Structures are given as structure tokens and as C-alpha cells.
Amino acid sequence: MKIAIAGAGAMGSRFGVKLQQAGNQVTLIDNWQEHVDVINRDGLTITTDGQGDQVIPMTAKRPAEVTEQFDLVILFTKAMQMDAMLQQLNGILDNQPAVLTLANGIGNVETIERHVPKEQIVVGTTVWSSGLAGPGHITVTGTGSISLQAVVPDKFPNLPGLIDTLNAAGLHASEAANVMAAIWKKAGLNSVLNTYCTLFDCNIGEFGALPNWRELNDRVLNEFQAVANAAKIQFSVADVTDLIAAQFSPETNGGHYPSMHQDMAKHRPTEIDFLNGYVAKLGTKLGVAAPNNALLAQLIHSQEALRGI
Ligand code: NAD
């Protein structure tokens, strides 16, 4: 299969390597010139926890250099980069490829629908992880899985075929029963852990050790619940809170600094507008107040501004 990975940072590169090693023809597409140049010149370096480095020859291009068509486009930009990437890729979407995104945040389907008919779109969530050590260099650990669903399930041509392609690459994909509920659940978790750990400059275990972590949690998630109800999305504060509490111990994710914390530390924009910010905006549209989420989004944007982001 001819596969484009549009947004080939930490996650896109990890998925690209696995899909190429399974026999697919993979092109990494990215706007970071230095990253593209290093991959084409030296290959992609993968540092695997405890197993040292591997260098994998791969093809990388800037969006403007891409002229061929693909069977599958996997969008792995950050949520706020997706619209611009899709605009740049306009020409390669002509032969109606399947377009898949597993990016975090709510609202990605709406972004993709501005460029691609919804019958071609598949969305999901993943617990695979990856880090970007520098241009052309990712660090990976552990394994993961993917849960996905076509946006219009009875119109998408061949979801089992797409799942087979991902599974042949060892990506452990399966069809979700209710992908929007899964996306909101993950966004709920991120809107608590990512946002507070970034504001407090702490890791997940330190957040969990705060005596008032649950009150802080509920202030975010009760508003998620109200907005989800109005939007007719399945959501459970108790389920997301359990999932969050399960991350606190050192054996799970206690020592981890969430991606938003890492973005802020690297002076890169955060995905806040697709987490707390999205729920606050959707709440306004639906007549449901979400002032805590609106304030948290403003605080993160203020922190970005203070860092010149
Ligand atoms: P990333 O920051 O590694 O890459 C995203 C884009 O930003 C890429 O196009 C990349 O080239 C570009 N970029 C990164 N650093 C740059 C730099 N210094 N200069 C110029 N461009 C740069 O993002 P990611 O971690 O791959 O995440 C992609 C999506 O997947 C996000 O929605 C994220 O929330 C989600 N996600 C990430 C993980 C993870 O473990 N990284 C896990 C699950 C979901």
C-alpha cells in the first residue's frame, strides 16, 4: 500500500517505520526542513529503550514536493497544525485516499471535513507513544494499540482492510464501538493531566499527590460532562477520573511529564484549544457554561505568551 504520513514528528515517524517494515511504500511528509533533510541524508534514527539505536532509511518530503497519490494518508500533526497541513496537501487528496488521524484533541474530524469528504475519514485514539529527540531522531518505548472508527461507518469502503494493514505492521488496531466517546475520554484525561501539570510544572505523580487533585479534576470534568450531554456525546466523569487516578503511581505514568508540559518546555505551541479550549467554545455554542475550562485555556495561552510562543 502507498502510505503518506503527513506530520512525521515523534508519532508519525514511529508509525511510518512500522508500516514500511511491513512492506508498505511509505513517504514521510513534514514541514520541518532540517528533519526532512536529516532523514533523507542519514536515515531515521530510532532509540529504543534498552536496545540502543537503529537507523532506518526512509523517504521524507516537504508538502510542496509531493506530487504522487496515496492509498492512505495518516495525519499525525498536532491538532492545531492539521488544517494548514491539509491545505498544503490539497493536490494529493484527489484520488480519494483514506484519511486517518489518531491525533489527540477534540475537533479533528471537523478540521479534516473542511478538506476531505467525510466518507473517506477514519478517526481514533492510540496509546502508542514516541518522543522526538531532535531532527531525524525519535525515542520509543513499549508497545501500544489503536482504536478507530470510520466517520460514516456504512460508507467507508474497507475498514477491515485498513485494520489489517495496521495490524500487519504490529500496530494492534481494532474497531471502536463509539469512537467519539473514546476521543472525549482521552481529551478529558489530557485536559486534566496535561493542563495542570503544565501550569504547576509537575509530573503526573506530583499532581496526583496534591490534596485537592480531585477537586481540580472535577472542575474540569463536570463541565466536560455538561457539554458532552448537550452535544449528545457519551461521557462519564467517574470513568475518566478512574483512568486519571490509574496514572499516578510510579509503575504506570507517575514519573511522566505530559506532552503539553514538554511542548511548553520546548517553547512550542500547545494543543490547549483542542482540549479545555474546545469544550469551553463548544459550551458557549450550545448554551452550556464551561468557565473553568475557559480560564484554564486562557492561563495556558498566557504561559505561552510569556515564553514568546
Ligand atoms: P511532534 O511534536 O513530535 O510532531 C508534530 C509536528 O511538529 C511534526 O510535523 C514535527 O515535525 C513538528 N515539530 C516537532 N518539533 C519541531 C521542531 N523543533 N521544529 C519544527 N517542527 C517541529 O508531535 P507528536 O508527539 O508526534 O504528536 C502528534 C499527535 O499525536 C498529537 O496530537 C499528539 O497529542 C498525539 N499523540 C502523541 C503521543 C506521543 O507519545 N508523542 C501519544 C499519543 C498521541
Side-chain angles (χ1 to χ4, degrees):
M1 193 182 260
K2 280 191 76 175
I3 301 175
I5 309 280
M11 291 294 278
S13 295
R14 185 170 196 187
F15 273 54
V17 169
K18 289 183 85 62
L19 287 160
Q20 178 172 290
Q21 287 174 332
N24 298 287
Q25 196 182 324
V26 174
T27 304
L28 303 177
I29 302 175
D30 207 87
N31 275 306
W32 187 8
Q33 183 73 57
E34 200 185 352
H35 185 53
V36 168
D37 290 344
V38 172
I39 293 171
N40 287 324
R41 191 186 63 226
D42 306 331
L44 180 76
T45 302
I46 306 176
T47 304
T48 306
D49 208 13
Q51 290 170 40
D53 288 357
Q54 257 184 308
V55 178
I56 314 283
M58 300 218 46
T59 301
K61 293 184 177 178
R62 296 282 307 269
E65 296 165 342
V66 183
T67 49
E68 68 266 45
Q69 301 284 321
F70 297 91
D71 307 306
L72 170 63
V73 176
I74 301 182
L75 282 168
F76 244 140
T77 61
K78 295 274 189 175
M80 62 283 185
Q81 300 164 328
M82 203 173 283
D83 195 60
M85 175 59 83
L86 282 159
Q87 272 177 39
Q88 290 175 295
L89 293 183
N90 221 353
I92 75 157
L93 299 172
D94 293 349
N95 78 329
Q96 305 181 326
V99 176
L100 164 67
T101 191
L102 304 169
N104 280 336
I106 318 175
N108 294 327
V109 176
E110 290 148 52
T111 304
I112 302 171
E113 272 179 17
R114 289 201 284 274
H115 304 270
V116 177
K118 54 166 85 151
E119 293 76 16
Q120 289 164 238
I121 307 171
V122 178
V123 280
T125 57
T126 182
V127 293
W128 284 96
S129 66
S130 183
L132 200 50
H137 186 180
I138 60 170
T139 55
V140 305
T141 177
T143 63
S145 61
I146 299 168
S147 179
L148 51 72
Q149 198 176 36
V151 169
V152 190
D154 52 343
K155 291 276 174 60
F156 186 78
N158 185 3
L159 194 69
L162 172 58
I163 290 174
D164 283 350
T165 299
L166 297 170
N167 284 335
L171 286 163
H172 307 143
S174 59
E175 187 172 2
N178 182 345
V179 81
M180 289 317 287
I183 288 171
W184 274 69
K185 187 173 184 178
K186 193 163 187 207
L189 174 137
N190 287 333
S191 295
V192 172
L193 293 180
N194 285 28
T195 305
Y196 286 128
C197 288
T198 304
L199 288 171
F200 302 156
D201 190 15
C202 69
N203 65 28
I204 290 172
E206 289 164 340
F207 173 73
L210 290 175
N212 63 338
W213 80 262
R214 193 174 276 273
E215 188 196 335
L216 295 170
N217 174 81
D218 290 355
R219 280 175 178 267
V220 171
L221 295 187
N222 287 337
E223 292 181 358
F224 259 67
Q225 182 76 67
V227 176
N229 291 348
K232 302 200 176 4
I233 307 272
Q234 191 185 310
F235 189 84
S236 158
V237 173
D239 285 358
V240 183
T241 303
D242 287 349
L243 187 62
I244 287 169
Q247 312 305 312
F248 294 159
S249 85
E251 287 73 39
T252 54
N253 279 316
H256 179 70
Y257 288 84
S259 60
M260 188 183 292
H261 184 283
Q262 294 174 34
D263 288 335
M264 192 69 85
K266 287 182 185 167
H267 291 236
R268 300 204 38 87
T270 71
E271 290 182 306
I272 191 72
D273 287 339
F274 296 83
L275 297 169
N276 312 75
Y278 184 94
V279 167
K281 256 200 186 142
L282 182 60
T284 304
K285 204 165 129 192
L286 298 175
V288 180
N292 294 314
N293 281 281
L295 175 62
L296 287 167
Q298 269 193 44
L299 291 173
I300 292 290
H301 279 313
S302 305
Q303 202 174 340
E304 288 171 340
L306 284 168
R307 286 170 190 233
I309 302 171

